[in-house]
Amino acid sequence: MAELLGTSKESFIASVRQSLGRTGGEPDERYAPLQEDLSSLEERASNTLERLKKDRGRLVEELARVAELQGWKVCQAANSEATLDYIRELLQETKAKRVVRSDQEIFRQVPVDELLEGMGAQVQVMAREQSGDGEFDPASAELGITGVDYAIAETGTAVLLPRKGISRLVSLLPPVHLALVRPTEVLESLDDLYLLRRLEYHRNGGDMGSYMNFITGPSRTADIEQTLVIGAHGPRETHMVILAQE
Amino acid sequence: MAEVKTQEFQRASVKALADAKLQSLLGRSMGTFDGARQEAIEELTPQRWEEMREKGRAIKRHTLDNLDYYLELLYDRVTQNGGQVHFARDAQEARNIVGQIARSRGLKLAIKSKSMVSEEMSLNPYLEEMGVEPVETDLGEYIIQLAQETPFHIIAPAMHKTKEDVSQLFEEKIQRPNLKNIEEMAGAAREVLREKLVNADMGITGANFLVAETGTLVLVTNEGNGRFCTSVPRVLVSITGMEKLIPSLEDLGVFMRLLPRAATGQRITSYVTHVSGPRRSDDEDGPEEFHLVIVDNGRSRLLQDPDLRESLYCIRCGACLNICPVYHKVGGHAYGWVYPGPIGAVVSPVMVGLNKAKDLPHASSLCGACRDVCPIKINIPRMLLKLRTQLAESSDSTQRKVSIGEKLMAKGYRRLMSSPKLLSLTHRLGRLAQRPLLRKGLIRTIPFPPFSRWTRSRDLPPLASKPFRQIWAEKLGKER
């Protein structure tokens, strides 16, 4: 049972209605997007996916180009060996000893644990169940590695949907974040993303999960004399590896 | 409610104009913002930008015209997501709601990401009084919290501080002496704030958008503090004005293209955070409780007036501040309340009371630049005129701006301009009368009222030796 604080919903909305001179009910003009039914949404989404599939090569290039502009360091890996090479170099450069990652399917494809542990780093999955043995405090990790749910070429954005196995903090606490992107996850535009999420919401009977994060390059601030400083509360360095097409 | 100093606009402006340091800062920074905005629009293409503006405006108009419906929908969907929605008619009620949530759960440390509505409410002093420590975590907001000041600009709250000011402030307030460059200062704030960010039990945020369809709150940020505020604390309270609604999740495609470009000239900000309720049972982290506080605090008065309603379309990008010749000179504090600049000159008088802010609708040359840069095409000059009319026609003599003298002058002017003979005579007399006043070709001071007041901050160009009518008669008219 929700607690009643402040003004009741009924009375608040009634007063808004009175200010507008409306009598209630549906909007004066129908708002087309909200009238759309599930099958129309599904159709649009499937057309979108078709288009993305056709354009995948171009979109991967565009993602790499824009992401670089937005402050990511981008690697387009030619093969799985190249992906591991990049991660190896990143570990050497950052001298990271403690690495956190999320628990995502992509790590079955990219075996970072073996690689990093082989180089003497500790790797910890950041999740409630795993954190019990506490090899190290996740807050002290120097590198965080995640997959993505989507990547948007238009804006150079990695989209993460935190949920089971995927903590909100892996891409936030450490000073360096590495995002692994599969070509199949690349979308062309913001519109593609919002359409797919909207479909998800309605297909699940009104739920799309608690959180969706857009990450576009490193954290930054220009709050003192409009001078850009890279690295505010989030990572100061962000790397994106786009895996080779399978 | 936040202390209202809108009555002091004139005095505050004069003070700002005399402040050489402030003038130099304003001169340096204001162009930077608008330059970035223009580049971002070029990159998107101006045609596409226009298309987005039209769409954005249509969406906002529809939503505000049917706000009761969308509030109802938002309430249902946030509740369905497991969140709680509270409604506050005014600032005090909003404060009480936040206070009751904190008190009943024994919360002690609140990390805040930028919220203009919490400034309207003066939330920080209220929380402090009840034993909750509020910490602003946006760097600009943190600086002004330490300085115990109010935001100077909607998106750059500490714009009026030099790095020397910040260095001194950090030495005095957080014992971090000898910080020389800006990077070090940002680093010091990062270290001090990190400890708060990971230990807080309460997160307080504003909202850039509220999606009615999915019950989603959207935060657009660059620093990452907004992500901490929505991820770490066990209770999340988001406070927002009721005008932030948009109907559909897909509408965000439009606003995500408009807001970052108009505000900072970015294609997109480093982070856009979408919160749809508290953590789900198998989520690894996130708040256990999500409260959304929807605040009126004078907005229904804007909603009620069809001529002023479009002021609620504002997405708080700050572009109108960055282009405004008045803001360029007087800065943000002169406006005397939470919202400065052209949009502030419209919303503040209605929210705090027109009789307390008579000067604000006049703090504009009506040049129209604000309307031209507005990503939602809000017609600010039209609304300023409307407020001026309200002031001039008010039956309450304390609200009336126009003095008897001014009315007499307007009458005289009308008489003068409708008689060519009288105009010609006045011109000749005026030329003689102005002679003793001329200094280097300009009239710097007229030593008697009411003109002395006018020339106190302005120079008057003298009457021309040959009036235009004469030039026309001798030359131009014949060429036709």
Side-chain angles (χ1 to χ4, degrees):
Chain A
M1 182 60 198
E3 42 192 320
L4 175 63
L5 302 172
T7 297
S8 76
K9 178 189 103 174
E10 288 71 23
S11 132
F12 188 92
I13 292 181
S15 103
V16 167
R17 190 168 287 145
Q18 196 184 2
S19 302
L20 288 166
R22 266 171 50 81
T23 48
E26 290 283 307
D28 300 336
E29 329 145 33
R30 285 297 176 95
Y31 191 69
L34 292 193
Q35 306 301 318
E36 191 176 18
D37 61 14
L38 190 60
S39 68
S40 159
L41 259 175
E42 272 168 346
E43 193 189 320
R44 284 201 294 133
S46 96
N47 292 343
T48 299
L49 293 176
E50 197 110 329
R51 169 171 53 78
L52 294 170
K53 199 171 163 189
K54 219 168 58 203
D55 289 348
R56 191 153 292 146
R58 178 177 68 79
L59 294 178
V60 166
E61 293 299 320
E62 180 67 2
L63 171 66
R65 184 184 76 82
V66 178
E68 193 85 40
L69 285 176
Q70 298 293 109
W72 294 93
K73 291 180 182 153
V74 181
C75 162
Q76 284 180 269
N79 49 44
S80 53
E81 203 37 54
T83 302
L84 294 178
D85 286 345
Y86 190 88
I87 300 174
R88 191 177 297 120
E89 273 169 40
L90 180 61
L91 194 77
Q92 283 163 354
E93 255 173 52
T94 57
K95 302 190 178 70
K97 290 277 162 236
R98 291 173 294 267
V99 180
V100 286
R101 68 167 175 87
S102 48
D103 182 15
Q104 270 164 303
E105 201 225 312
I106 195 161
F107 293 102
R108 284 199 274 280
Q109 191 182 333
V110 186
V112 294
D113 293 9
E114 294 164 33
L115 175 73
L116 299 180
E117 282 164 1
M119 294 174 72
Q122 285 179 286
V123 185
Q124 193 167 297
V125 170
M126 205 161 166
R128 276 183 294 183
E129 279 149 34
Q130 272 90 344
S131 60
D133 49 342
E135 295 145 55
F136 60 87
D137 177 8
S140 70
E142 296 132 323
L143 171 64
I145 309 180
T146 67
V148 306
D149 289 277
Y150 302 99
I152 306 173
E154 177 187 3
T155 51
T157 298
V159 181
L160 269 77
L161 301 166
R163 54 187 181 273
K164 183 169 174 56
I166 306 172
S167 155
R168 303 176 184 207
L169 301 178
V170 182
S171 57
L172 183 61
L173 284 177
V176 184
H177 173 214
L178 165 65
L180 303 172
V181 177
R182 285 180 287 204
T184 48
E185 290 154 345
V186 180
L187 307 177
E188 181 162 21
S189 69
L190 289 163
D191 302 320
D192 296 343
L193 186 270
Y194 286 121
L195 167 63
L196 295 177
R197 294 310 298 157
R198 189 162 171 240
L199 173 64
E200 176 76 8
Y201 179 84
H202 290 291
R203 206 153 47 185
N204 281 348
D207 191 13
M208 56 177 187
S210 60
Y211 212 60
M212 172 164 71
N213 240 326
F214 288 5
I215 300 171
T216 310
S219 78
R220 63 192 84 202
T221 179
D223 275 352
I224 305 175
E225 295 194 6
Q226 272 73 58
T227 304
L228 182 65
V229 177
I230 297 292
H233 299 298
R236 60 175 150 73
E237 219 178 287
T238 50
H239 298 259
M240 181 186 284
V241 176
I242 309 175
L243 307 192
Q245 293 240 35
E246 284 156 62
Chain B
M1 190 136 108
E3 198 183 348
V4 176
K5 296 185 195 158
T6 44
Q7 307 93 312
E8 291 163 36
F9 180 78
Q10 290 203 5
R11 207 180 324 149
S13 311
V14 170
K15 211 173 126 204
L17 287 168
D19 183 339
K21 196 174 100 184
L22 182 64
Q23 289 301 318
S24 130
L25 257 177
L26 281 165
R28 266 187 288 155
S29 6
M30 297 314 299
T32 324
F33 275 121
D34 197 62
R37 186 191 66 86
Q38 289 182 33
E39 274 174 41
I41 292 169
E42 280 306 313
E43 179 267 327
L44 182 74
T45 76
Q47 294 80 352
R48 194 86 199 285
W49 179 248
E50 277 309 301
E51 184 198 322
M52 290 298 135
R53 288 175 84 194
E54 290 293 345
K55 280 191 182 165
R57 185 176 171 82
I59 295 168
K60 278 290 184 181
R61 183 176 51 220
H62 172 83
T63 317
L64 269 303
D65 284 351
N66 300 283
L67 189 60
D68 56 329
Y69 174 82
Y70 287 109
L71 281 169
E72 194 95 53
L73 183 61
L74 178 81
Y75 180 92
D76 290 346
R77 298 296 160 88
V78 172
T79 309
Q80 195 180 322
N81 285 336
Q84 294 185 47
V85 185
H86 313 284
F87 294 95
R89 278 195 205 283
D90 54 32
Q92 196 188 335
E93 210 171 65
R95 273 200 308 258
N96 285 342
I97 294 172
V98 181
Q100 274 172 276
I101 294 170
R103 194 177 299 119
S104 61
R105 288 151 182 84
L107 306 176
K108 288 284 165 239
L109 174 59
I111 48 175
K112 289 185 67 196
S113 103
K114 208 164 139 32
S115 155
M116 300 296 282
V117 180
S118 81
E119 300 285 343
E120 284 176 39
M121 297 155 55
S122 293
L123 183 60
N124 290 356
Y126 180 81
L127 287 177
E128 273 163 23
E129 220 165 276
M130 61 180 286
V132 180
E133 181 190 352
V135 183
E136 296 288 350
T137 57
D138 170 89
L139 179 57
E141 294 281 348
Y142 181 59
I143 290 168
I144 63 162
Q145 187 185 25
L146 291 180
Q148 296 179 302
E149 291 180 19
T150 54
F152 188 84
H153 186 286
I154 294 179
I155 62 157
M159 212 192 86
H160 59 300
K161 296 280 179 207
T162 61
K163 59 175 185 287
E164 290 76 22
D165 294 338
V166 177
S167 174
Q168 197 186 340
L169 197 62
F170 280 12
E171 174 164 357
E172 284 166 14
K173 303 278 177 162
I174 55 172
Q175 290 75 49
R176 301 295 296 254
N178 300 321
L179 299 173
K180 291 279 178 293
N181 65 55
I182 291 171
E183 206 147 314
E184 287 172 6
M185 295 171 203
R190 178 194 162 106
E191 279 174 36
V192 174
L193 289 173
R194 177 56 75 100
E195 199 221 313
K196 309 280 185 191
L197 289 172
V198 298
N199 290 311
D201 47 14
M202 184 180 200
I204 299 177
T205 75
N208 292 99
F209 302 101
L210 294 167
V211 182
E213 176 186 28
T214 56
T216 302
L217 172 127
V218 184
L219 289 177
V220 177
T221 63
N222 273 310
E223 295 185 8
N225 56 324
R227 293 182 61 196
F228 275 99
C229 294
T230 54
S231 299
V232 175
R234 67 187 165 91
V235 177
L236 170 59
V237 181
S238 299
I239 313 162
T240 152
M242 62 182 183
E243 77 281 14
K244 296 286 176 183
L245 267 92
I246 54 175
S248 159
L249 192 65
E250 286 189 78
D251 295 332
L252 282 174
V254 173
F255 292 102
M256 280 309 129
R257 291 185 182 105
L258 288 172
L259 179 56
R261 284 181 175 87
T264 49
Q266 287 174 284
R267 191 190 291 252
I268 197 163
T269 47
S270 294
Y271 305 112
V272 181
T273 304
H274 307 67
V275 180
S276 303
R279 76 200 290 172
R280 305 294 190 263
S281 58
D282 56 357
D283 282 0
E284 301 299 342
D285 33 34
E288 289 157 23
E289 292 179 41
F290 172 58
H291 298 266
L292 179 62
V293 184
I294 297 181
V295 181
D296 182 330
N297 201 29
R299 287 165 176 79
S300 359
R301 287 197 292 278
L302 290 164
L303 196 64
Q304 200 166 14
D305 187 333
D307 287 324
L308 299 178
R309 191 178 292 170
E310 69 170 306
S311 63
L312 294 173
Y313 302 175
C314 175
I315 56 173
R316 308 272 185 261
C317 68
C320 62
L321 281 55
N322 302 336
I323 200 77
C324 178
V326 176
Y327 185 94
H328 275 214
K329 297 309 286 180
V330 305
H333 285 157
Y335 291 83
W337 201 56
V338 181
Y339 302 102
I343 190 67
V346 176
V347 301
S348 299
V350 181
M351 292 174 74
V352 306
L354 193 52
N355 59 340
K356 286 189 210 148
K358 286 180 231 173
D359 288 322
L360 292 191
H362 294 271
S364 164
S365 63
L366 300 179
C367 71
C370 47
R371 176 191 57 212
D372 294 345
V373 297
C374 176
I376 315 293
K377 293 191 164 188
I378 299 174
N379 195 337
I380 295 172
R382 187 186 56 75
M383 290 188 287
L384 290 172
L385 275 174
K386 158 92 185 188
L387 291 174
R388 290 185 192 185
T389 311
Q390 269 182 23
L391 280 166
E393 289 175 351
S394 168
S395 54
D396 174 357
S397 60
T398 57
Q399 288 207 19
R400 205 178 295 134
K401 178 80 187 171
V402 189
S403 65
I404 307 230
E406 210 174 327
K407 277 191 174 156
L408 274 176
M409 269 176 58
K411 268 197 184 138
Y413 186 76
R414 196 161 101 190
R415 175 89 185 80
L416 186 66
M417 293 310 281
S418 45
S419 157
K421 271 193 192 139
L422 194 57
L423 181 62
S424 170
L425 178 70
T426 312
H427 189 259
R428 262 177 287 163
L429 287 175
R431 253 174 26 229
L432 287 175
Q434 77 186 2
R435 266 187 204 161
L437 299 172
L438 283 180
R439 301 277 178 280
K440 292 184 188 164
L442 284 172
I443 300 169
R444 311 272 177 182
T445 341
I446 302 177
F448 47 86
F451 304 103
S452 53
R453 227 183 120 206
W454 197 88
T455 51
R456 203 161 58 198
S457 54
R458 302 174 186 84
D459 295 333
L460 187 67
L463 291 165
S465 57
K466 203 181 256 190
F468 176 76
R469 281 168 301 115
Q470 200 179 333
I471 301 175
W472 177 266
E474 287 172 10
K475 207 167 141 217
L476 295 171
K478 286 178 190 149
E479 281 173 15
R480 294 186 65 175

